[in-house]
């Protein structure tokens, strides 16, 4: 169903059962999967692809240009959003700044009111951004990450799976998987609530707690210690433990610090 006041380009590709509300805008070269809904005044711009059963809320804008000086507006770039994602009111998701590339949002993602996803971000599956959370360009959020309201991220930051970012946190360093981060780049330990909600085995949760203490509560460099533990292998018994340590092998922004040791 398309409301009579909506503006839908003839070159847009609409799936079965798509609903487009009053005054919504769908530009050319847009794909809306089966069962998608655009609420009144939503805007989906050229080059955006939204998979099945997604909702785009009032005044949300998907596929707007990157906020960068000198951007070449003629580039063919876009946004890809996975199925069953919920994009609430006034959310903005900007398209890639590079030819034939796309900003990527996974499946079953919830972007709450007023949150922003900058150009070339990569968001995993079942990620939640609470109200007014802000991602600069090139931020990577792995699966099951939860971001509290008003949190802000520096460009190129990586956040590992099942991390929890507290409300109004300032994140300019990489966040390893499974941790909770508050304030400015401070971790206060594993995200135990999130890990239990994922129903991870108790062995995995215990190992994550143990590895956190080794890497963040000691005096040795976490990067060097993680590399050594991976080489020895005997002390790592779960897949989650391996993924936690492997995260330290990459990245250019450094890592969050222990709040306890900082005090």
């Amino acid at each position: 169903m398309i409301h009579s006041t909506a503006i839908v380009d003839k070159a847009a590709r609409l799936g079965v059962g798509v609903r487009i509300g009053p005054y919504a805008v769908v530009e050319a070269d847009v794909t809306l999967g089966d069962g998608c809904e655009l609420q009144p005044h939503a805007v989906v711009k050229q080059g955006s692809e939204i998979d099945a059963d997604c909702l785009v809320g009032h005044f949300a804008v998907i596929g707007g240009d990157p906020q960068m000086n000198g951007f070449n507006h003629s580039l063919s770039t876009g946004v890809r959003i996975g199925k069953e994602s919920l994009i609430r009111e006034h959310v903005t998701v900007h398209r890639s700044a590079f030819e034939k590339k796309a900003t990527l949002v996974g499946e079953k993602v919830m972007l709450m009111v007023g949150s922003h996803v900058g150009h070339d971000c990569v968001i995993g599956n079942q990620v939640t951004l609470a109200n007014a959370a802000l991602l600069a360009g090139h931020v990577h959020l792995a699966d099951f990450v939860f971001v509290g309201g008003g949190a802000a991220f520096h460009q190129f930051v990586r956040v590992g799976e099942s991390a929890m970012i507290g409300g109004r946190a300032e994140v300019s360093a990489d966040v390893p998987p499974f941790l909770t981060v508050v304030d400015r780049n401070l971790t206060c330990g594993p995200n135990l609530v999130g890990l239990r909600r994922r129903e991870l085995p108790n062995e995995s949760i215990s190992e994550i707690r143990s590895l956190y203490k080794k890497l963040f509560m000691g005096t040795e460099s976490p990067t060097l210690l993680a590399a050594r533990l991976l080489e020895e292998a005997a002390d790592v018994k779960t897949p989650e433990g391996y993924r936690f340590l492997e995260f330290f092998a990459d990245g250019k922004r450094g890592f969050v610090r222990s709040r306890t040791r900082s005090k």
Side-chain angles (χ1 to χ4, degrees), residues 98-259:
F98 302 97
E99 181 71 17
K100 302 300 183 183
K101 301 292 185 180
T103 300
L104 302 177
V105 177
E107 299 179 356
K108 297 184 178 180
V109 170
M110 178 184 283
L111 305 180
M112 295 188 193
V113 175
S115 56
H116 170 69
V117 178
H119 66 88
D120 297 286
C121 286
V122 178
I123 296 180
N125 299 323
Q126 299 189 53
V127 170
T128 298
L129 267 62
N131 294 16
L134 306 174
L135 307 186
H138 303 277
V139 171
H140 283 216
L141 305 183
D143 296 346
F144 302 105
V145 168
F146 184 92
V147 177
F153 292 75
H154 193 282
Q155 60 261 40
F156 294 99
V157 159
R158 299 179 304 136
V159 180
E161 64 178 287
S162 287
M164 161 70 184
I165 311 299
R168 299 177 64 187
E170 303 169 31
V171 184
S172 59
D174 287 353
V175 180
F178 313 119
L179 299 189
T180 298
V181 168
V182 297
D183 300 327
R184 186 174 180 86
N185 297 328
L186 297 180
T187 174
C188 47
N191 175 23
L192 297 178
V193 172
L195 300 183
R196 289 172 181 143
R197 285 178 178 172
R198 276 187 66 182
E199 300 182 348
L200 292 185
N202 289 332
E203 182 184 19
S204 296
I205 295 175
S206 295
E207 182 162 74
I208 291 166
R209 295 179 73 171
S210 175
L211 290 172
Y212 170 79
K213 290 178 182 178
K214 289 179 180 179
L215 267 64
F216 285 91
M217 303 306 291
T219 57
E220 188 173 350
S221 162
T223 302
L224 296 177
L225 181 54
R228 190 168 77 245
L229 290 172
L230 282 172
E231 286 180 4
E232 295 171 354
D235 292 333
V236 187
K237 297 180 171 52
T238 68
E240 290 77 18
Y242 274 103
R243 296 201 298 273
F244 179 76
L245 295 175
E246 287 171 342
F247 187 88
F248 291 87
D250 200 3
K252 300 178 180 179
R253 300 220 41 90
F255 300 96
V256 294
R257 313 180 309 281
S258 164
R259 181 169 68 169

Side-chain angles (χ1 to χ4, degrees), residues 29-44:
D29 192 29
V30 164
T31 299
L32 300 180
D34 296 347
C36 282
E37 178 181 355
L38 270 57
Q39 293 184 331
H41 298 280
V43 177
V44 183

